Amino acid sequence: MSLPALSAVGATPYPSPSQTTVPTTAPAVPTLQDAQESANNAASWVEQNWSTWLAIGLRVLLILVIAAVLRVAVRRAITKLIDRMSRTAEAVDGTALGGLLVNAERRRQRSQAIGSVMRSVASFVIIGTAGLMVLGSFQINLAPLLASAGVAGVAIGFGARNLVTDFLSGVFMILEDQYGVGDTIDAGVASGEVIEVGLRVTKLRGVGGEIWYVRNGEVKRIGNLSQGWATAGVDVTVRSVENLDRVKTTLDAVAERMSKDEPWNELLWGPIEVLGLDSVLLDSMVVRVSAKTMPGKALAVERELRWRIKLAFDEAHIPIVGGLPAEPGPQPPIDPSAMVAAPSVLSNPESPQAQAASPIVPPRSATM
């Protein structure tokens, strides 16, 4: 059987090497139809979601606008409230002693501190609430965020408990008006004049000019020496044989003159009173003199009162115990023999005692 016969019956002969071709993949070139299809898909996606995004954007914008307007309104209302409270306090204090106790600087600083705290709290609450509402508008799950914030708040509270204590103590101290700028206080750990009041630290100037920084949370008690009124007390010590009527008359004259002299007539808020005997001893007695003064001026009144009492007593020839000693009186003549000891019997060699105490001389022998 010949080869052509095989090809006739349907057998496919193998191609020659020259006839074999390697298939190649050419890059797909986007056509106008593909670009049109992509644009249609994007347009359809935007058409389907534009209303959602527009609603979210409008919601966020509305939240921010409302938060900003509310914050401005609340802060302005707080400022007006603080100003009205200050004006009311000035009107009330002007008719009583309080107008002399609370100076302008103290009222201004206290109002600023209270207003600052209230404005800060209002801003934090409004802005924090607006932020949470904005995050909720984007379908963000706020539960993990709030849980994390709660855990962080507890950790910060334990770690900074002293700072929180100082801050809260400062807030209540300012709200209750326990003390202010210009007051003289005794805080236990330090005492002096208040020169600055803060929410965390109170600054005091001591008697020697030193400045004390006292943390509000460390203060357990406060003694305000500048509220209400002060008491000036002077103790006058005289001899127990002194005439009490004459002493009282002299003290009354001093009190009357001092009450009329300036500037003591403004510092004294009541008459200078002789309270009577405070104590009676064998050789002395103490007369108590007291007066109600402007707060913080008791020490100056006491010094002036002591000065005037000493001058008045010198004029009245009333000696004060503890002053110069009295002049010595006439002394009896000194006996020269008082300091001489009695003569001893042993000094007389002829006395029997001297003879008895003399050594025994041995007798001489007859033969030498």
Side-chain angles (χ1 to χ4, degrees):
M1 183 179 293
S2 61
L3 186 59
L6 291 175
S7 59
V9 297
T12 304
Y14 291 98
S16 60
S18 59
Q19 296 177 351
T20 60
T21 58
V22 179
T24 59
T25 58
V29 178
T31 61
L32 182 60
Q33 183 178 1
D34 296 336
Q36 185 177 3
E37 184 178 356
S38 299
N40 292 333
N41 293 334
S44 62
W45 184 83
V46 172
E47 184 179 1
Q48 292 175 2
N49 296 280
W50 75 270
S51 59
T52 303
W53 287 103
L54 182 60
I56 293 175
L58 292 177
R59 187 181 298 112
V60 172
L61 181 61
L62 182 62
I63 292 173
L64 296 179
V65 170
I66 293 177
V69 173
L70 184 61
R71 180 174 177 270
V72 172
V74 171
R75 290 173 64 90
R76 185 172 299 178
I78 292 174
T79 303
K80 291 184 178 180
L81 177 62
I82 296 299
D83 294 341
R84 183 176 302 176
M85 290 173 58
S86 300
R87 290 194 299 268
T88 304
E90 291 178 0
V92 173
D93 294 339
T95 58
L97 299 180
L100 300 175
L101 306 180
V102 184
N103 53 26
E105 177 63 21
R106 171 180 177 178
R107 183 180 292 108
R108 183 190 63 82
Q109 188 166 5
R110 178 171 177 263
S111 301
Q112 288 183 354
I114 296 176
S116 177
V117 172
M118 297 178 66
R119 284 190 293 266
S120 299
V121 172
S123 298
F124 177 78
V125 172
I126 294 173
I127 294 176
T129 304
L132 294 178
M133 294 178 65
V134 168
L135 294 178
S137 300
F138 289 102
Q139 304 298 325
I140 297 177
N141 188 9
L142 300 179
L145 180 62
L146 295 178
S148 302
V151 174
V154 172
I156 294 175
F158 278 107
R161 57 184 180 274
N162 292 333
L163 180 62
V164 175
T165 302
D166 296 340
F167 181 81
L168 293 178
S169 300
V171 170
F172 283 106
M173 178 270 298
I174 293 175
L175 292 177
E176 295 173 359
D177 192 21
Q178 298 178 5
Y179 55 85
V181 175
D183 290 350
T184 301
I185 66 172
D186 181 4
V189 295
S191 60
E193 182 182 356
V194 180
I195 59 177
E196 185 177 344
V197 178
L199 295 178
R200 193 183 69 87
V201 174
T202 297
K203 189 184 296 185
L204 306 177
R205 183 176 297 279
V207 179
E210 67 277 6
I211 296 179
W212 298 96
Y213 295 88
V214 182
R215 290 170 44 192
N216 295 328
E218 295 295 329
V219 178
K220 304 301 180 184
R221 62 172 179 84
I222 290 290
N224 196 327
L225 307 179
S226 300
Q227 286 185 354
W229 43 267
T231 301
V234 175
D235 293 333
V236 182
T237 307
V238 296
R239 297 179 303 179
S240 58
V241 296
E242 199 67 46
N243 189 350
L244 290 178
D245 295 334
R246 191 160 67 102
V247 171
K248 187 175 185 305
T249 302
T250 306
L251 293 176
D252 290 338
V254 171
E256 185 178 0
R257 287 196 302 267
M258 185 173 176
S259 300
K260 297 178 180 179
D261 295 342
E262 294 184 356
W264 310 109
N265 54 356
E266 297 180 359
L267 301 182
L268 292 171
W269 286 3
I272 301 177
E273 300 178 352
V274 180
L275 301 181
L277 288 177
D278 192 66
S279 63
V280 178
L281 303 177
L282 293 177
D283 57 348
S284 64
M285 54 185 176
V286 179
V287 181
R288 181 74 174 177
V289 182
S290 177
K292 185 181 294 185
T293 68
M294 180 184 296
K297 302 299 181 180
L299 184 59
V301 173
E302 289 176 358
R303 291 172 177 172
E304 180 66 19
L305 190 57
R306 291 191 187 97
W307 183 283
R308 292 172 178 254
I309 289 175
K310 179 63 172 64
L311 295 179
F313 275 28
D314 290 343
E315 293 179 359
H317 303 288
I318 301 176
I320 298 178
V321 175
L324 296 176
E327 296 180 358
Q331 299 292 334
I334 300 176
D335 186 6
S337 62
M339 302 299 295
V340 179
S344 175
V345 294
L346 298 179
S347 62
N348 185 9
E350 301 298 331
S351 63
Q353 292 84 356
Q355 293 292 332
S358 62
I360 300 176
V361 181
R364 295 182 178 182
S365 60
T367 60
M368 300 203 44

